[in-house]
């Protein structure tokens, strides 16, 4: 397992912004894709945003136009800029890194999560 450490969560009012960071102890250029997931209380973990090694991104419909994912290979860091936050964005946010190792599949690495709470 490659340690991934998230930071940047906290309490913010609706309409506010936060930037999450995920730092890897190893070079993130080795990962084929990196993602942010979130899990709200009583709900399943869901994909929020993803960026590939080639720079392609995709977002959950619920965050399109408000969140931006980016990766800085030089700093071994993944970011999630979250703007116009809503109470329904409240969740624990997890960083994920995936490396394809064969045609059949690859290896997932997870951080321990950072809590984002949006008050109304």
């Amino acid at each position: 397992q490659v340690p991934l450490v998230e930071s940047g969560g906290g309490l913010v009012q609706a309409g506010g912004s936060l930037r999450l960071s995920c730092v890897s102890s190893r070079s993130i250029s080795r990962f084929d894709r990196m993602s942010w997931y979130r899990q709200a209380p009583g709900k399943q973990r869901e994909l929020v945003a993803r960026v590939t090694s080639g720079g392609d991104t995709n977002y959950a419909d619920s965050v399109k136009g408000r969140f931006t994912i980016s990766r800085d290979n030089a700093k071994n860091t993944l970011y999630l800029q979250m703007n116009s936050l809503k109470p329904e964005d409240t969740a624990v946010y997890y960083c994920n890194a995936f490396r394809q190792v064969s045609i059949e599949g690859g290896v997932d690495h997870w951080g321990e999560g950072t809590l984002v709470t949006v008050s109304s």
Side-chain angles (χ1 to χ4, degrees):
Q1 280 289 320
V2 174
L4 300 171
V5 181
E6 302 100 334
S7 63
L11 175 64
V12 63
Q13 288 189 332
S17 299
L18 285 174
R19 188 177 80 156
L20 305 184
S21 299
C22 170
V23 180
S24 171
S25 61
R26 299 185 184 178
S27 171
I28 66 170
S29 61
R30 68 202 302 266
F31 297 122
D32 296 284
R33 62 176 188 249
M34 297 190 74
S35 309
W36 288 98
Y37 286 76
R38 67 186 181 187
Q39 187 166 19
K43 295 189 177 181
Q44 290 189 328
R45 190 174 297 190
E46 63 174 354
L47 175 65
V48 175
R50 174 169 290 163
V51 59
T52 69
S53 57
D56 294 327
T57 58
N58 64 283
Y59 298 90
D61 287 343
S62 59
V63 308
K64 281 181 182 177
R66 300 189 297 121
F67 291 9
T68 302
I69 189 171
S70 61
R71 58 193 287 175
D72 186 335
N73 287 355
K75 295 183 178 180
N76 293 327
T77 302
L78 177 73
Y79 300 101
L80 184 68
Q81 178 66 45
M82 305 187 294
N83 299 329
S84 302
L85 283 161
K86 303 176 181 180
E88 51 262 44
D89 295 317
T90 295
V92 177
Y93 285 70
Y94 297 91
C95 175
N96 169 270
F98 175 82
R99 184 183 183 193
Q100 191 85 31
V101 295
S102 69
I103 292 177
E104 287 80 22
V107 178
D108 276 300
H109 305 274
W110 292 92
E112 295 192 347
T114 185
L115 176 63
V116 172
T117 304
V118 184
S119 63
S120 57

